[in-house]
Amino acid sequence: MTEREQLLKEYGTMSFAAHDILLFLDTHPFNAEALKAFSHYYRTARVLKNEYEMKYGPLTADASPAGNCWQWIDSPWPWEYKGGK
Amino acid sequence: MWYYEKRLQYPVKIKNPDAKAAQLIIAQLGGPDGELGAAMRYLNQRYSMPYNSVKGALTDIGSEELNHMEMISAIVHQLTRDLTIEEIKASGFDKYFVNHTVGVYPVDASGFPFTTAQLEVKGDPIADLNEDLAAEQKARVTYDNILRLVDDPDVKDVIRFLREREVVHYQRFGESLQIVLDNLDKKNFYAFNPSFDR
């Protein structure tokens, strides 16, 4: 696994944890433990997303930096794994 | 509205082409219990859902199904993109290939195209949530069957992740149904339809 893939995996893991707790909160909106855990995983994920985007390019189009070139289209598209070749 | 994030919810990294596996797994894109149908079923049911918790569950689970649709499409793409014409003929994938080449088009395992006749919006919270509970179980069984039929560990790892999500969504829809019942007449849950009768 490359460093890029490793960081994307860490971000994906934290983001997934936040998402799974979000679903739980939809049906348990007053659960204090889940509210706290959501906030923790969500904030951790945001930090990792920013770190990834600084190093490897935008994950969302709004994170494409101003400049001479529209970087959004150049970072790898997620279905295009070429590891087998 | 939605934002696109340029990654998969769970990575798909398949090394070896396999037309036979692709023809089975495409059932979870365009088939009756597939991810496209799941997303459309839940997102369309939201408008007649009177309770905020359940609007949330339908929105957030429906959105997650769009991630899963993308993952299934990525599996099909990676299993088929490097096939040779000999492999396409030998595997029976030629019947799909003649119309779609190696593009990803939503059909079931027998080649029948995706149809909205496979999903339901009844406009009644009890009926709709029972539909959703059944849909999650049917998708779980389809993934169990795919795990019986496919050997490639790169593929099975992703299928196991998707299977687990069906179990979690079933749990959330069960809680959603309980929330609906808690809001209704305890002596007769069917006394009125809270989506329509005011």
Side-chain angles (χ1 to χ4, degrees):
Chain A
M1 199 181 284
T2 64
E3 259 177 64
R4 186 187 76 79
E5 287 173 321
Q6 183 59 39
L7 185 54
L8 189 61
K9 188 184 172 189
E10 278 171 42
Y11 165 56
T13 304
M14 292 299 123
S15 170
F16 175 72
H19 167 77
D20 200 35
I21 297 163
L22 180 156
L23 296 188
F24 180 83
L25 281 167
D26 283 343
T27 53
H28 306 78
F30 300 105
N31 187 296
E33 199 186 338
L35 285 164
K36 210 174 133 198
F38 175 77
S39 161
H40 166 73
Y41 287 113
Y42 180 75
R43 273 183 286 142
T44 309
R46 295 302 297 181
V47 171
L48 289 166
K49 179 175 184 281
N50 286 339
E51 186 188 337
Y52 180 93
E53 288 175 324
M54 296 284 277
K55 286 186 180 158
Y56 303 111
L59 285 168
T60 48
D62 60 351
S64 203
N68 298 329
C69 171
W70 181 237
Q71 288 188 22
W72 168 239
I73 51 175
D74 287 332
S75 53
W77 291 89
W79 53 87
E80 288 179 342
Y81 171 70
K82 292 281 181 203
K85 301 278 98 191
Chain B
M1 63 96 66
W2 278 265
Y3 273 108
Y4 185 69
E5 203 163 302
K6 211 174 182 183
R7 65 184 178 92
L8 300 177
Q9 190 187 28
Y10 187 89
V12 175
K13 295 177 177 179
I14 296 165
K15 293 177 214 71
N16 305 311
D18 183 344
K20 267 218 128 36
Q23 287 174 95
L24 300 171
I25 291 166
I26 207 165
Q28 279 305 86
L29 178 62
D33 309 312
E35 303 291 354
L36 172 58
M40 295 305 107
R41 179 184 293 110
Y42 308 147
L43 294 175
N44 284 298
Q45 285 179 1
R46 297 180 300 159
Y47 306 99
S48 48
M49 184 55 68
Y51 311 112
N52 284 343
S53 270
V54 190
K55 288 177 212 172
L58 290 170
T59 300
D60 299 325
I61 295 173
S63 301
E64 185 181 345
E65 306 296 8
L66 295 172
N67 297 320
H68 297 170
M69 193 181 96
E70 189 182 35
M71 287 169 60
I72 291 290
S73 301
I75 294 175
V76 172
H77 170 65
Q78 292 179 18
L79 285 172
T80 55
R81 62 183 167 183
D82 293 324
L83 289 169
T84 64
I85 205 72
E86 287 72 30
E87 287 168 330
I88 287 167
K89 282 199 237 175
S91 61
F93 191 65
D94 50 354
K95 292 181 196 68
Y96 176 97
F97 180 86
V98 71
N99 279 323
H100 311 292
T101 328
V102 290
V104 177
Y105 178 73
V107 294
D108 73 7
S110 65
F112 192 81
F114 176 76
T115 165
T116 49
Q118 294 160 343
L119 52 97
E120 184 56 276
V121 179
K122 205 70 186 171
D124 175 287
I126 295 177
D128 280 343
L129 284 165
N130 276 286
E131 159 96 6
D132 303 344
L133 286 160
E136 293 295 336
Q137 286 302 327
K138 289 188 281 182
R140 191 265 306 160
V141 175
T142 308
Y143 285 127
D144 278 336
N145 290 341
I146 289 171
L147 288 169
R148 289 182 229 271
L149 293 164
V150 171
D151 296 321
D152 185 344
D154 292 345
V155 177
K156 290 182 100 156
D157 180 52
V158 185
I159 297 296
R160 280 194 199 97
F161 172 87
L162 291 167
R163 179 194 175 280
E164 260 180 57
R165 298 311 292 157
E166 309 302 337
V167 177
V168 171
H169 293 171
Y170 178 78
Q171 183 69 30
R172 299 287 92 85
F173 281 135
E175 293 153 4
S176 298
L177 179 59
Q178 192 53 54
I179 289 166
V180 169
L181 297 179
D182 289 347
N183 275 281
L184 293 174
D185 183 343
K186 299 278 176 299
K187 293 200 188 86
N188 180 5
F189 291 138
Y190 315 108
F192 63 98
N193 174 359
S195 296
F196 186 72
D197 301 305
R198 303 270 181 258

